[in-house]
Amino acid sequence: RVDDPIGAEAVHGLAGIFGTIAVGLFATGQYGIPGPEGADTTSKVTGLFYGGGTDQLVSQIIGSAAVTGIVLVAGLVFVLFARKA
């Protein structure tokens, strides 16, 4: 059983994933791709609902899935080591 009395999983996990995927849906093209010197405004980021197609949405979903998988594996490894200690 998971003890989450304040709803941290729902707030930080699910809302964070939705926020990431929302970029692929609602990006207006107002901002560019982030770079080391700031936003690169030569290529605009547009979401599905603003004519950007599915490329950005798919990228956001892949990124969210990758981070979720890495955090899940790292958390399980941590729990396994903590149980043995």
Side-chain angles (χ1 to χ4, degrees), residues 38-75:
D40 177 13
T41 57
T42 59
S43 57
K44 304 289 185 173
V45 177
T46 53
L48 181 65
F49 297 144
Y50 288 89
T54 59
D55 291 341
Q56 186 66 38
L57 178 61
V58 170
S59 296
Q60 297 298 112
I61 291 171
I62 290 170
S64 290
V67 169
T68 301
I70 290 168
V71 169
L72 179 65
V73 169

Side-chain angles (χ1 to χ4, degrees), residues 2-85:
V2 176
D3 183 19
D4 190 14
I6 59 170
E9 180 183 342
V11 171
H12 295 286
L14 299 178
I17 290 171
F18 174 74
T20 302
I21 293 173
V23 172
L25 294 171
F26 302 112
T28 62
Q30 183 178 1
Y31 303 104
I33 298 173
E37 273 96 47
D40 177 13
T41 57
T42 59
S43 57
K44 304 289 185 173
V45 177
T46 53
L48 181 65
F49 297 144
Y50 288 89
T54 59
D55 291 341
Q56 186 66 38
L57 178 61
V58 170
S59 296
Q60 297 298 112
I61 291 171
I62 290 170
S64 290
V67 169
T68 301
I70 290 168
V71 169
L72 179 65
V73 169
L76 289 174
V77 168
F78 176 75
V79 167
L80 289 175
F81 280 124
R83 286 180 117 185
K84 291 181 181 183

